[in-house]
Amino acid sequence: MADECFGHPRLAAIHDPLDPDRSDLDAYVRAAEELGARRVLDIGCGTGVFALLLADRGIEVVGVDPAAASLDVARGKPGGERVRWVCGDVRALPPLRVDLATMTANVAQAVVDPGVWRETLRRTYGSLRPGGHLMFETRDPARRAWEEWDREHSHRVTDVPGVGAVESWVEVTDVSRPLVTFRWTYVFAVDGQVLTSESTLRFREREEVEADLLAQGFAIDDVRDAPDRPGREFVFLARRPRTE
């Protein structure tokens, strides 16, 4: 099930204007270039920002996401026809052999069920060619990022072209480590409609993630710092071995 902020058509349509700074994707673009990736699987592609960045560089991209409304936004963007969009999770994917699979932003943490997480890694492994890589990020639980997820730190009013002013803020509703649940609220000035979206993220320790990757057959090439949030996230680069 997709969270309302991705699955509700009115919220999916304003997702990009409310989150315009995607400099976090720069590291993923560089990795694709450094690895010489020609075929990429973008897991949890959302409104297609990263997938389209790659497609603009001549890379063949498959984007998969369970939120149909977000995929509708992605398809409607310039160049959207160059990406193969799949509605669902990795279990909906056709047979693939890609050079690189990615889970950007919150995608890895949004897979909260341990069994579904293992299945996600297993099926991603199967979609990689031997020697292909998986890259994703997850927040360091020790930094307790959720302590700043409140109205004081997040409240803003954004003037969205064609929509008008949208007021938004986030509040944590439950912390039951390793799970953190929070609620975004959106108020549309044009008609006063109030929409909310509840999300839960799983904060995994680095050792837990490494163990999960190794259990599914991955080799771990690197655990990096996130350039846009130094000291706050782990960025994993794992590989399907060439010989198995």
Side-chain angles (χ1 to χ4, degrees):
M1 293 291 293
D3 296 338
E4 285 293 287
C5 60
F6 305 109
H8 191 289
R10 194 171 193 184
L11 294 181
I14 64 171
H15 183 270
D16 292 349
L18 293 188
D19 187 22
D21 180 9
R22 294 311 309 273
S23 56
D24 60 300
L25 299 176
D26 294 346
Y28 288 89
V29 173
R30 286 196 300 271
E33 293 173 344
E34 291 167 2
L35 295 169
R38 304 310 308 159
R39 298 179 302 278
V40 174
L41 169 61
D42 184 16
I43 300 168
C45 63
T47 57
V49 176
F50 179 57
L52 290 170
L53 283 174
L54 296 182
D56 286 344
R57 288 163 170 77
I59 295 173
E60 180 183 331
V61 188
V62 175
V64 58
D65 198 283
S70 290
L71 291 182
D72 286 343
V73 173
R75 289 189 185 97
K77 291 180 177 180
E81 73 283 352
R82 296 200 299 264
V83 177
R84 183 178 182 182
W85 308 105
V86 178
C87 189
D89 59 21
V90 292
R91 292 171 292 188
L93 290 171
L96 297 173
R97 276 295 182 268
V98 300
D99 305 308
L100 173 66
T102 60
M103 290 184 278
T104 65
N106 293 330
V107 172
Q109 287 187 257
V111 186
V112 298
D113 181 86
V116 176
W117 173 242
R118 289 191 294 269
E119 180 74 355
T120 298
L121 293 179
R122 186 182 72 81
R123 289 184 178 263
T124 301
Y125 184 98
S127 294
L128 292 169
R129 64 165 175 80
H133 289 81
L134 165 64
M135 185 176 179
F136 64 93
E137 63 192 72
T138 184
R139 292 177 178 83
D140 181 356
R143 296 303 301 267
R144 302 177 67 86
W146 59 87
E147 292 183 347
E148 296 182 357
W149 297 351
D150 54 31
R151 185 182 176 109
E152 178 184 356
H153 289 91
S154 63
H155 180 267
R156 64 185 184 273
V157 178
T158 305
D159 188 16
V160 179
V163 174
V166 179
E167 184 182 8
S168 61
W169 68 89
V170 67
E171 296 172 299
V172 171
T173 58
D174 184 67
V175 178
S176 301
R177 298 274 303 272
L179 302 180
V180 176
T181 300
F182 51 96
R183 180 184 297 113
W184 276 97
T185 298
Y186 307 87
V187 183
F188 292 79
V190 66
D191 57 10
Q193 184 177 22
V194 179
L195 295 174
T196 60
S197 176
E198 188 167 286
S199 302
T200 299
L201 299 181
R202 188 179 190 93
F203 283 75
R204 299 179 177 91
E205 300 289 347
R206 172 176 173 170
E207 294 77 14
E208 178 186 357
V209 178
E210 291 177 340
D212 289 341
L213 287 167
L214 294 173
Q216 298 304 320
F218 284 97
I220 300 172
D221 284 353
D222 195 10
V223 183
R224 307 173 177 176
D225 206 14
D228 62 312
R229 280 182 274 205
R232 301 174 68 88
E233 295 185 355
F234 305 119
V235 180
F236 290 86
L237 184 64
R239 171 176 42 86
R240 175 174 178 167
R242 292 183 181 277
T243 57
E244 301 172 318

